[in-house]
Amino acid sequence: MSATALDRMAKPSDALSRPASLVLVRIAAGGGTAATIARDLKCISAEVAGSMDGLVADLMRAGLVTDAGGNGLVASADGQSAAAAVLGLRKAKALHEAWPQVRDGLLVQRALSLETAGAKVHKSTAKIDGLRLAIVAKAWGLKPRGKASPSRARTALALLALERAFGNSVKGALGAKTDLSPKASRLLAAQLSKTPKDYGTDARLVAALAAEVVGAAKADLASLRAGVVRRFLLDEATPKRPERRKRAIVPVAEAPVPVPAPAQSAIPSVVEPVADASRALAAPSTHPEPAPTLQLIASRPDPAQFASAVLAAAAGCAEGWPGNRRAFVSQVWVRVRALHPLWQLSQIEFKSMLTEAHRKGLLTLANADLKDKSRLPDLQASAISYKNTVWHYVRVEG
């Protein structure tokens, strides 16, 4: 087969369908009867296994597969070359491995576009942790510095989530790390999931995202491998990150927004236990989400717009005296959420954006006197952990 033909076959959607390409690769990796091949492929795609007769007929008409009688279906010389090209290989001799090794190695590497990566990467993706990281990195376009790890992936995902919270208006300006605590950045990274929640550890976060990306019910090795190849069959050259759910929100008038009385809610907060404030920082938010009624498309602010809106909202609920006026973060959150429904911010995004605005000097956050227990619900809902301190207030000038 000519080099031009090999290049053309390297893009199976241009010559063969992905299902036909998968059947060809399976036949080239040892051959076998149609029933045996269908059984081997069923764990990846029942649809492909059920369409074996038609797919094999197409391959035979193309001269890529022949029926060897008692030896079952075998790939011709052109078929071997075409199968190698499907896997991104230049030589067919690499297909002399048994089908399980081709399925779990070469085919997964091709589906993740890692066929030209080094042996170290291939060895890593052969294990469950390495495969999870490779799937998440490919889906979200992550390029963490140094050796891939769940903590580095979590940091990169948190930065990506923060960029998106600001509508990508701070893209490239955040650097390669965040000063948020591991728990806070993990909660922020989890906003990229269809079902955001605190996954407890970085490894669980990566595992959940990897399974979600490839549509696998479990995050074990076999399920992820099958899911990666199944995505490949759907003419998706690489796993694609899931679309975020549109949040149901209520548009409101431009009239002043009253601050609701505290009520229990399950909204997660960006918190970490610090000194004797652990009980005050671990509790859920005390302000409920608005009742869902309409679906609107999110429009995110840039940092300056966000800070301006926060300060305006804080001015309406600040307490204290001139020169020392402060507003609880939880009360500012309620006002901003109601006044700017198109932003569609979650509480974790709001608190992370507050942290970034503070770092940029666009506003100032302050901590509370934790000895005063009279405002405990507001303290619990407002807590933002940052390095060695915890913030509860937005400062208001004047």
Side-chain angles (χ1 to χ4, degrees):
M1 182 175 283
S2 67
T4 301
L6 277 172
D7 290 338
R8 185 170 63 251
M9 290 301 298
K11 297 179 180 179
S13 59
D14 293 342
L16 293 173
S17 67
R18 288 277 169 91
S21 298
L22 177 64
V23 173
L24 175 61
V25 168
R26 169 59 190 87
I27 294 173
T33 65
T36 299
I37 293 168
R39 185 183 65 243
D40 288 345
L41 297 180
K42 189 174 182 179
C43 64
I44 296 175
S45 173
E47 290 76 13
V48 171
S51 305
M52 273 290 300
D53 292 342
L55 295 172
V56 169
D58 291 342
L59 294 171
M60 294 181 72
R61 280 193 294 270
L64 303 177
V65 169
T66 60
D67 189 344
N71 293 325
L73 300 170
V74 297
S76 64
D78 280 354
Q80 287 283 343
S81 297
V86 167
L87 295 172
L89 306 173
R90 303 302 298 181
K91 297 181 180 179
K93 65 180 181 181
L95 275 170
H96 291 171
E97 296 179 359
W99 165 244
Q101 284 69 48
V102 172
R103 176 196 64 204
D104 297 338
L106 295 172
L107 192 56
V108 170
Q109 293 159 17
R110 174 67 181 92
L112 290 171
S113 300
L114 294 176
E115 64 272 20
T116 59
K120 188 174 182 179
V121 173
H122 292 167
K123 184 177 180 181
S124 174
T125 55
K127 300 177 182 179
I128 183 62
D129 293 335
L131 181 58
R132 289 169 176 170
L133 287 167
I135 292 171
V136 170
K138 193 68 178 179
W140 298 103
L142 305 183
K143 295 180 180 179
R145 296 180 181 179
K147 183 179 179 181
S149 68
S151 62
R152 286 194 172 100
R154 176 254 299 161
T155 298
L157 289 167
L159 287 169
L160 179 61
L162 188 55
E163 287 176 357
R164 293 189 173 197
F166 276 117
N168 291 323
S169 58
V170 295
K171 190 172 182 62
L174 299 177
K177 60 182 294 185
T178 172
D179 288 327
L180 292 173
S181 66
K183 181 175 182 178
S185 61
R186 186 165 54 249
L187 284 168
L188 182 56
Q191 297 299 302
L192 299 174
S193 170
K194 288 181 179 178
T195 55
K197 65 178 182 179
D198 183 2
Y199 288 98
T201 67
D202 297 337
R204 290 174 186 168
L205 168 68
V206 171
L209 289 176
E212 190 173 282
V213 163
V214 300
K218 299 179 180 180
D220 60 275
L221 196 57
S223 297
L224 291 179
R225 284 170 171 167
V228 166
V229 177
R230 195 175 300 114
R231 284 284 185 178
F232 185 71
L233 287 176
L234 296 174
D235 285 338
E236 299 181 48
T238 59
K240 294 184 179 180
R241 49 184 169 269
E243 294 294 331
R244 286 288 307 277
R245 293 180 292 118
K246 290 183 179 179
R247 291 190 185 135
I249 58 177
V250 182
V252 296
E254 296 184 359
V257 180
V259 179
Q264 291 298 321
S265 168
I267 305 173
S269 43
V270 187
V271 296
E272 283 290 326
V274 177
D276 51 13
S278 59
R279 298 184 68 184
L281 304 181
S285 167
T286 61
H287 298 288
E289 293 281 0
T293 60
L294 290 180
Q295 293 281 354
L296 298 179
I297 297 175
S299 175
R300 297 300 174 86
D302 62 30
Q305 292 171 334
F306 174 76
S308 177
V310 167
L311 291 174
C317 58
E319 302 173 358
W321 53 91
N324 190 33
R325 298 185 68 225
R326 301 176 296 178
F328 278 110
V329 168
S330 59
Q331 294 181 3
V332 176
W333 152 240
V334 171
R335 287 174 171 268
V336 169
R337 179 183 56 187
L339 287 169
H340 300 279
L342 287 178
W343 290 357
Q344 296 191 42
L345 296 178
S346 67
Q347 190 187 54
I348 179 66
E349 289 171 331
F350 176 77
K351 289 187 173 183
S352 297
M353 291 165 74
L354 273 182
T355 301
E356 188 59 27
H358 174 89
R359 290 180 59 199
K360 289 179 176 292
L362 299 174
L363 53 77
T364 302
L365 300 177
N367 63 316
D369 180 0
L370 297 178
K371 295 180 180 179
D372 180 8
K373 304 300 182 181
S374 63
R375 303 297 296 275
L376 185 58
D378 286 313
L379 288 170
Q380 292 173 331
S382 298
I384 302 176
S385 175
Y386 180 80
K387 293 186 176 180
N388 294 322
T389 190
V390 178
W391 292 317
H392 305 89
Y393 295 113
V394 177
R395 282 193 178 275
V396 178
E397 298 295 334

